[in-house]
């Protein structure tokens, strides 16, 4: 029951109303804030946060869903690899349904006989490699700084045990370069609700360049209603004062320096390189891949496959949604041809995708 009491503390109705009244008191202009964490996207919609704040405050989603920002080219590579003899593809569940070129997904490949398995962690993939020594096991590694340390630790373990049938196809990305790209491309936002889980790893200092170089406010926060409302209030206060900074409203989980052990594991295993983000294109120094003596675990190096460049599904505006330029209902496919049960675009696949959240909780948007 301790865990439930802890959650209830941040869902307390009186606390939520106190913060909401402070927002109403301080919101003297118009504001646009972007969350860049899929967990925040889901929480904002699930708790009906837009209905609790003045209409002069707009909350828009950015590139915070790792499944959503993964391009079709990556899915095509996994699908092509699944056709190879004695290859096992291991993936997180959401990745199964992302459409690749011509709508082909890993789910379809599995139905057609490919050995594609859903796992819950990279260590599960390594266990499969230990057991099926006559097969090559490819782990589909996606996610931001939140999940990258787990992949790094798994590669370190594979190296230690000399497991040579375990490979990683990395689509790991780091968030700060994407946030900078958003600002450079221009969206008219006044502040960022910074990613909570990512910040646990990176620390709050990772976002210091945003107010310093771009004059844009930042608040790191958690995932409960009072957390999110507090971040909105703190962003409003920064905008009103004209003094943008990085403020940490998630001190129970985030420090200024972050998780140094996780950071060291990433630095040991990965190199940083330019990476493609759905909707944002190639972002310099935003991707992670095994390097040095760990390159032997890089599937793109060991068993490269040739696929066509990424392209958006015809009619899908997922890319524009990820840039904060459009909202899900503006897509002609939304809730008709494209639903969570039959996703046409990546933003509808994951629970952290903006389209998925709009579909489930659209009436909460206000």
């Amino acid at each position: 029951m301790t865990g439930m009491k802890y959650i209830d503390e941040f869902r307390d109705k009186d606390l939520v109303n106190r913060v909401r009244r402070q927002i109403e008191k301080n919101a003297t202009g118009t504001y646009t804030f972007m969350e860049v964490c899929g967990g925040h996207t889901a929480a904002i919609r699930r708790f009906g946060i837009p209905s609790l704040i003045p209409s002069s405050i707009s909350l828009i989603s950015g590139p915070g869903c790792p499944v959503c920002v993964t391009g079709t080219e990556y899915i095509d590579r996994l699908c092509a690899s699944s056709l190879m003899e004695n290859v096992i593809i291991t993936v997180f569940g959401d990745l199964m349904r992302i459409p690749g070129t011509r709508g082909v997904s890993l789910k379809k490949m599995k139905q057609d006989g490919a050995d594609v398995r859903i796992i819950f962690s990279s260590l599960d993939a390594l266990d499969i490699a230990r057991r099926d020594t006559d097969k090559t096991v490819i782990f589909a590694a996606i996610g931001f700084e939140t999940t990258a340390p787990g992949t790094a630790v798994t590669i370190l373990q594979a190296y230690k045990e000399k497991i040579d049938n375990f490979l990683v196809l990395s689509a790991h990305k780091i968030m700060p370069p994407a946030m900078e790209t958003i600002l450079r491309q221009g969206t008219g936002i006044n502040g960022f609700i910074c990613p909570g889980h990512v910040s646990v790893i990176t620390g709050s200092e990772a976002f210091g360049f945003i107010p310093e170089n771009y004059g844009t406010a930042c608040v790191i926060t958690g995932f409960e209603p009072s957390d999110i409302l507090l971040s909105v209030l703190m962003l409003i206060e920064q905008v009103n004062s004209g003094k943008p900074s990085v403020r940490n409203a998630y001190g129970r989980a985030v420090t200024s320096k972050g998780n140094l052990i996780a950071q060291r594991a990433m630095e040991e295993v990965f190199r940083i390189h330019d990476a493609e983000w759905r909707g944002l294109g190639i972002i310099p120094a935003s991707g992670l891949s095994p390097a040095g003596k760990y390159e032997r675990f890089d599937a793109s190096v060991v068993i490269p496959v040739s696929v066509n460049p990424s392209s958006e599904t015809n009619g899908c505006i997922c890319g524009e949604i990820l840039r904060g330029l459009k909202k899900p209902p503006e897509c002609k496919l939304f809730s008709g041809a494209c639903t969570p049960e039959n996703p046409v675009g990546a933003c509808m696949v994951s629970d952290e995708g903006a389209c998925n959240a709009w579909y489930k909780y659209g009436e909460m948007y206000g």
Side-chain angles (χ1 to χ4, degrees):
M1 292 300 293
T2 302
M4 288 305 298
K5 289 181 179 178
Y6 178 77
I7 292 174
D8 288 344
E9 176 184 351
F10 297 96
R11 296 184 182 180
D12 180 76
K13 184 178 179 179
D14 291 337
L15 174 59
V16 167
N17 282 329
R18 287 201 302 272
V19 180
R20 181 176 60 82
R21 286 193 292 269
Q22 285 298 310
I23 290 173
E24 292 174 346
K25 179 180 177 180
N26 285 273
T28 56
T30 58
Y31 312 84
T32 300
F33 303 132
M34 173 183 283
E35 84 271 0
V36 285
C37 175
H40 284 148
T41 295
I44 286 170
R45 278 63 201 179
R46 180 159 62 95
F47 294 125
I49 299 299
S51 69
L52 300 178
I53 58 179
S55 59
S56 59
I57 304 169
S58 178
L59 302 181
I60 61 175
S61 301
C65 164
V67 169
C68 305
V69 299
T70 301
T72 57
E73 183 176 349
Y74 180 78
I75 301 302
D76 290 346
R77 288 183 184 279
L78 288 171
C79 289
S81 298
S82 74
L83 294 173
M84 295 180 177
E85 188 175 358
N86 295 323
V87 166
I88 300 172
I89 305 295
T90 58
V91 301
F92 297 134
D94 283 349
L95 211 58
M96 291 288 288
R97 299 186 299 134
I98 300 180
T101 302
R102 298 183 300 279
V104 177
S105 66
L106 287 167
K107 179 180 179 181
K108 178 64 165 58
M109 301 302 292
K110 182 177 179 63
Q111 290 171 341
D112 290 345
D115 194 345
V116 182
R117 306 183 191 181
I118 295 175
I119 56 172
F120 294 98
S121 78
S122 52
L123 289 173
D124 290 342
L126 189 61
D127 281 340
I128 294 172
R130 290 190 185 104
R131 295 194 302 268
D132 295 323
T133 55
D134 59 334
K135 303 287 183 68
T136 297
V137 178
I138 299 177
F139 169 58
I142 69 167
F144 305 127
E145 292 92 335
T146 311
T147 55
T151 301
V153 168
T154 302
I155 290 174
L156 288 170
Q157 188 63 32
Y159 181 83
K160 179 181 178 180
E161 296 183 31
K162 298 182 174 59
I163 298 175
D164 58 8
N165 65 321
F166 174 75
L167 299 175
V168 168
L169 187 63
S170 177
H172 280 308
K173 296 174 173 62
I174 52 180
M175 182 54 71
M179 297 168 72
E180 185 167 27
T181 297
I182 289 288
L183 293 171
R184 285 179 173 176
Q185 292 183 350
T187 59
I189 64 173
N190 303 110
F192 281 114
I193 300 175
C194 293
H197 294 140
V198 165
S199 300
V200 171
I201 304 299
T202 67
S204 60
E205 292 182 358
F207 307 101
F209 73 96
I210 294 175
E212 292 173 10
N213 298 344
Y214 296 95
T216 301
C218 291
V219 175
I220 298 164
T221 198
F223 301 88
E224 298 302 326
S226 60
D227 289 324
I228 297 168
L229 288 171
L230 180 59
S231 72
V232 172
L233 175 60
M234 294 171 77
L235 286 169
I236 289 172
E237 290 173 345
Q238 290 189 56
V239 174
N240 288 353
S241 69
K243 297 179 180 179
S245 62
V246 178
R247 298 184 65 185
N248 183 7
Y250 199 24
R252 62 187 187 272
V254 175
T255 64
S256 61
K257 299 293 185 182
N259 187 323
L260 299 180
I261 294 175
Q263 292 173 26
R264 283 195 290 270
M266 292 166 63
E267 291 167 0
E268 166 70 15
V269 171
F270 296 125
R271 66 180 177 91
I272 297 175
H273 59 86
D274 300 348
E276 182 179 2
W277 296 58
R278 186 188 299 269
L280 298 174
I282 302 295
I283 299 180
S286 67
L288 299 171
S289 292
K293 62 185 180 182
Y294 306 107
E295 192 176 58
R296 58 186 272 195
F297 299 103
D298 189 343
S300 68
V301 173
V302 178
I303 49 172
V305 295
S306 179
V307 298
N308 294 323
S310 287
S311 61
E312 203 66 78
T313 303
N314 188 35
C316 176
I317 63 168
C318 184
E320 293 172 274
I321 292 168
L322 291 168
R323 299 202 305 276
L325 301 177
K326 290 189 177 181
K327 296 180 179 180
E330 296 179 67
C331 180
K332 64 183 181 181
L333 304 178
F334 178 76
S335 79
C338 186
T339 66
E341 293 74 27
N342 183 38
V344 175
C347 292
M348 187 62 86
V349 173
S350 172
D351 287 341
E352 297 187 345
C355 292
N356 188 293
W358 268 90
Y359 184 91
K360 290 179 179 176
Y361 312 110
E363 69 278 5
M364 301 280 192
Y365 272 65

